[in-house]
Amino acid sequence: MAKHFFPKIGTIRFEGPGSTNPLAFKHYNADELVEGRPIKDHMRFAAVYWHTMRGTGADMFGGGTANRPWNTGECSTKEAIERARAFFEFATKLGIPFYCWHDRDLASHGRNLREANAQFDAVGRELKKLQRDTGVRLLWGTAQNFVHPRYMHGAATSCNADVFCFAAAQVKRAMDWTHELGGQGYVFWGGREGYASLLNTDMKRELDHLGRFLHMAVDYKKKIGFKNPFLIEPKPKEPTKHQYDSDAASCLNFLREYGLLEHFQLNIEVNHAWLAGKTMEHELEVAGAAGVLGSIDANMGDYFLGWDTDQFPTDLYLTAKTMLSVLKYGGFKHGGVNFDAKVRRESFSEEDLFLAHIAGMDTFARGLKIAAKIRADGRLDAFVRNRYRTWDSGIGKKIEDGKATFADCERHALKLGNVSGLESGRQELLEAMFNEFI
Ligand code: XLS
Ligand code: NI
Ligand code: NI
């Protein structure tokens, strides 16, 4: 690599829990085995191109604060390629095995679609080289169909058919490059697929268009031979008042209604779950139970701000509960733990990008180890199993097997006369038990 963007930072290594070196892992020991599998394979950590390379720290009250020498503001192909090199230097030094992008993080919007495509292609070719040189792989790609003013009314759900076509053109090209770069999946997050007011919105028509759009994507996937999963990333609001993919359950309903379920998995994001008024583990459970837990976007929100603040995940309870669900559903196959997270506006140095990812990776590695210990201990699992034991035989089993009628239930209840022997749910005990492992 010719130019160095992080000259003062070397390769980040594992030094163990006793280390006080801020630029070292204390818990993420990539090759250590947990449940017989190296931690790195459990996590499949990914860094995002958008927050990491393009985030400036700007908010609605002030402009950017971050030192990002690769963002020159030129919007040229040269700048885009230098930025890609800076990113791969970052990912390599951090030892993060995967990354994710939006098409328009990589390259600029250009003056028109043709120009945007040309720059995207040039960067795509460079990424292919960089991936080969470093071994860093693409977890997933996606199309940024929400920043450009043309998407003000939505993309696939715009009231304007021309806009739908622009969105389709972007997804088509983003799928091409995801495929070309060996992407493990392709994600749809409906940035502006929702509404601000129902007074001007034909919701049914918009949802039909979204269904059509995704069917066209499935057809194109088959056409180019892209075999890895499509994922939908639920989020309830922001930027719109109501996003159509509002949570895991509503995504599942949408996919079923439009005959798309067999083609999609879900990418569950912590902060999105919280915005939906749900916990991360709830969303993971909904996705996992339906057999579509594909990947996660790892971050966290702020208890006092009702916004997708995308903070780095540093809460052990969160990561432990998350990894408990992930392990329960068999771990990641194509997905991984993708840090859709940004450093705070006040954390403006390049070094903070490393410190933040180290914090997130260490917190997740600890979460994994805690989850594995809880599973090995077995008390929690045994409690839940025991709680449902009346379903294992007798009338319970008959009901589960679909062999009982209302009349059978009535006969059973009349025979009993009353229910006796209900047991405590022991929530407080179980919470204290969970604490033993933190
Ligand atoms: C925004 C989403 C976005 C997706 C990718 O809130 O999290 O970053 O992950 O489009
Ligand atoms: Ni996300
Ligand atoms: Ni988000």
Side-chain angles (χ1 to χ4, degrees):
M1 246 164 249
K3 182 167 168 193
H4 285 272
F5 289 89
F6 308 98
K8 290 195 220 117
I9 294 174
T11 305
I12 308 298
R13 300 188 195 285
F14 172 72
E15 291 184 3
S19 169
T20 54
N21 175 5
L23 288 167
F25 295 116
K26 325 292 183 298
H27 303 279
Y28 178 60
N29 185 12
D31 295 313
E32 184 183 327
L33 298 183
V34 171
E35 296 195 358
R37 193 179 175 199
I39 298 183
K40 63 170 190 274
D41 296 347
H42 277 287
M43 313 316 292
R44 293 165 58 85
F45 283 128
V48 300
Y49 208 91
W50 50 101
H51 292 312
T52 311
M53 302 318 284
R54 307 305 298 262
T56 62
D59 66 14
M60 51 290 231
F61 296 102
T65 55
N67 293 340
R68 301 288 182 262
W70 50 87
N71 288 335
T72 62
E74 285 165 48
C75 299
S76 63
T77 303
K78 185 169 157 281
E79 183 206 20
I81 285 181
E82 281 290 283
R83 185 187 293 117
R85 292 177 181 155
F87 179 78
F88 277 77
E89 184 190 334
F90 167 77
T92 308
K93 286 183 166 171
L94 193 64
I96 201 157
F98 291 97
Y99 73 116
C100 300
W101 46 248
H102 298 94
D103 51 357
R104 299 295 181 259
D105 313 324
L106 296 173
S108 76
H109 296 261
R111 274 169 303 183
N112 52 48
L113 185 60
R114 215 173 287 280
E115 265 188 31
N117 282 345
Q119 198 175 97
F120 185 14
D121 290 348
V123 179
R125 287 190 292 272
E126 179 69 16
L127 292 177
K128 203 166 177 192
K129 267 191 248 150
L130 289 164
Q131 288 188 190
R132 204 178 39 221
D133 292 350
T134 61
V136 174
R137 297 158 68 198
L138 180 63
L139 192 68
W140 47 262
T142 188
Q144 188 209 67
N145 287 352
F146 44 89
V147 169
H148 197 282
R150 76 169 68 95
Y151 298 120
M152 66 173 81
H153 303 296
T157 64
S158 174
C159 49
N160 183 302
D162 296 339
V163 175
F164 181 104
C165 295
F166 269 81
Q170 260 188 259
V171 168
K172 178 174 176 285
R173 190 101 159 188
M175 280 175 62
D176 284 339
W177 274 111
T178 300
H179 185 35
E180 179 70 22
L181 296 172
Q184 299 282 295
Y186 183 89
V187 165
F188 293 85
W189 170 61
R192 291 187 191 274
E193 313 295 24
Y195 63 79
S197 168
L198 278 177
L199 292 176
N200 62 13
T201 301
D202 186 336
M203 193 201 276
K204 171 78 170 79
R205 213 165 174 185
E206 292 198 359
L207 285 168
D208 286 350
H209 296 164
L210 185 56
R212 216 31 356 265
F213 191 90
L214 295 179
H215 272 291
M216 288 160 82
V218 168
D219 290 344
Y220 191 65
K221 183 180 197 269
K222 287 186 190 142
K223 181 161 184 254
I224 62 176
F226 180 61
K227 297 271 172 357
N228 290 336
F230 271 171
L231 300 106
I232 287 193
E233 184 177 317
K235 182 174 182 178
K237 55 191 167 197
E238 188 212 306
T240 72
K241 173 201 188 83
H242 173 79
Q243 306 263 137
Y244 292 134
D245 301 330
S246 53
D247 63 2
S250 64
C251 285
L252 288 174
N253 182 58
F254 171 84
L255 291 169
R256 280 202 188 97
E257 187 171 344
Y258 286 91
L260 286 159
L261 191 54
E262 61 177 303
H263 304 290
F264 284 83
Q265 302 181 347
L266 299 183
N267 181 37
I268 305 292
E269 177 165 323
V270 181
N271 211 157
H272 296 182
W274 293 12
L275 289 180
K278 310 269 165 34
T279 59
M280 179 64 170
E281 57 272 24
H282 169 90
E283 290 293 87
L284 292 170
E285 192 60 40
V286 172
V292 294
L293 173 49
S295 197
I296 69 172
D297 270 11
N299 56 21
M300 62 184 200
D302 182 289
Y303 293 122
F304 297 94
L305 300 173
W307 198 247
D308 195 12
T309 56
D310 286 343
Q311 290 164 226
F312 274 84
T314 52
D315 181 327
L316 280 179
Y317 284 91
L318 168 71
T319 59
K321 287 179 177 171
T322 297
M323 291 316 295
L324 205 51
S325 299
V326 170
L327 289 176
K328 175 176 171 186
Y329 288 105
F332 298 117
K333 191 159 174 263
H334 291 96
V337 174
N338 172 47
F339 290 110
D340 193 353
K342 61 185 177 204
V343 289
R344 298 303 84 195
R345 179 177 162 76
E346 302 85 342
S347 306
F348 58 85
S349 76
E350 295 100 305
E351 196 179 9
D352 285 301
L353 290 174
F354 284 88
L355 298 172
H357 282 84
I358 292 168
M361 290 162 83
D362 267 345
T363 310
F364 256 94
R366 274 180 84 179
L368 171 69
K369 290 177 200 177
I370 291 165
K373 276 195 200 127
I374 291 173
R375 280 156 61 86
D377 171 80
R379 273 178 293 162
L380 199 59
D381 204 37
F383 182 90
V384 177
R385 236 180 306 114
N386 187 49
R387 193 165 181 236
Y388 291 87
R389 68 184 182 282
T390 56
W391 296 91
D392 296 338
S393 60
I395 188 72
K397 175 133 189 4
K398 234 174 126 184
I399 298 169
E400 278 198 353
D401 292 345
K403 290 182 185 140
T405 63
F406 260 13
D408 295 326
C409 293
E410 187 187 42
R411 215 171 300 118
H412 182 77
L414 284 172
K415 200 171 74 199
L416 290 177
N418 225 325
V419 174
S420 65
L422 285 184
E423 289 162 3
S424 166
R426 298 265 192 262
Q427 181 176 329
E428 301 76 6
L429 173 77
L430 298 175
E431 285 168 351
M433 202 191 277
F434 202 97
N435 285 349
E436 285 176 34
F437 297 90
I438 296 286

